[in-house]
Amino acid sequence: ELIFCHFGRKRVLFYAFIVLWGGWGGCFGVCFGFVLTEMYICGLILSNIYTMENNQPQINEHNKKECPPMHTAEHILNATMVKMFGCPRSRNAHVERKKSKCDYILEHEPSAEQIAAVEAAVNEVIGKHLPVTVEYMPQAQAADIVDLSKLPSGATDTLRIVRVGDYDACACAGDHVANTSEIGPFTILSHSYADGVWRVRWKVVEA
């Protein structure tokens, strides 16, 4: 409809007048130039329509498609580890639909009580049915909110910030659930500790 409105009756009548006034041969070049111009303008219109419909800034694409419930659970686990142990977010993570693993830099291996507390804390957050929202902001603004130490050197200036309620905020380009109610119970399957790195293997049940 926008394209039709752009051409409008006035342009159609204008081109018809040129043909009648100058003849087909004399105005071929003029008409051809106008057609090219109209094609260019229509291209701009289509581009603007696409941009308005998507309404998203250009950011780096995520390197893989992940299971949204597992990916959001990883964010919650990372935030829990930071809050409980004061460690950085996962140094290395492998997130898959069936089970996942994360590595954390810790001075000491967590005790059985601490591991149980981590599992309970993650499930508590999931059970609060928190909204998972997305916003875009420049790196300078995001630096006051999230840890950018793991940001790749080629990252765009505009970052996509994913928030899990008021519990966590992280720069991320991956897929997530809209609410933590879409995540099933979180379970730690196994764990190990070596050379200052605690590796935890975990999963979430389909909600």
Side-chain angles (χ1 to χ4, degrees):
E1 292 180 358
L2 286 177
I3 296 175
F4 177 79
C5 291
H6 169 70
F7 276 101
R9 295 181 179 180
K10 291 183 179 180
R11 276 185 169 77
V12 175
L13 292 174
F14 177 68
Y15 291 141
F17 173 77
I18 292 177
V19 172
L20 294 174
W21 179 64
W24 288 104
C27 71
F28 177 78
V30 175
C31 289
F32 184 70
F34 274 108
V35 169
L36 289 179
T37 301
E38 293 295 342
M39 289 176 65
Y40 172 75
I41 294 174
C42 285
L44 292 178
I45 292 175
L46 289 173
S47 176
N48 288 335
I49 293 173
Y50 178 82
T51 301
M52 287 187 293
E53 288 180 347
N54 286 273
N55 194 29
Q56 292 185 352
Q58 292 296 314
I59 61 171
N60 296 90
E61 293 184 359
H62 198 46
N63 58 1
K64 64 178 292 188
K65 279 288 185 181
E66 291 168 332
C67 174
M70 294 289 279
H71 194 182
T72 307
E74 180 208 357
H75 281 222
I76 298 172
L77 174 60
N78 279 330
T80 301
M81 292 297 295
V82 172
K83 295 175 189 296
M84 291 184 63
F85 297 93
C87 64
R89 299 176 77 91
S90 176
R91 186 184 69 174
N92 182 43
H94 187 71
V95 180
E96 299 294 344
R97 181 177 295 273
K98 292 184 177 181
K99 61 180 180 180
S100 303
K101 62 182 178 182
C102 294
D103 292 344
Y104 297 96
I105 300 175
L106 299 175
E107 293 184 1
H108 305 286
E109 181 177 9
S111 65
E113 291 77 12
Q114 288 175 319
I115 295 171
V118 169
E119 185 175 275
V122 173
N123 279 312
E124 182 181 356
V125 174
I126 292 173
K128 289 182 177 180
H129 296 182
L130 299 177
V132 180
T133 57
V134 172
E135 61 181 305
Y136 298 87
M137 63 181 66
Q139 288 192 28
Q141 181 182 351
D144 296 330
I145 303 172
V146 301
D147 179 13
L148 301 182
S149 60
K150 293 176 63 178
L151 202 66
S153 58
T156 57
D157 181 63
T158 300
L159 298 181
R160 180 176 183 262
I161 306 300
V162 176
R163 294 182 183 270
V164 181
D166 58 358
Y167 191 76
D168 181 54
C170 178
C172 179
D175 295 329
H176 290 273
V177 298
N179 191 285
T180 60
S181 62
E182 300 173 40
I183 308 172
F186 171 87
T187 303
I188 293 179
L189 302 173
S190 63
H191 54 89
S192 57
Y193 184 78
D195 300 323
V197 176
W198 183 58
R199 171 166 291 181
V200 56
R201 301 167 187 84
W202 54 274
K203 70 174 183 178
V204 294
V205 180
E206 293 286 344

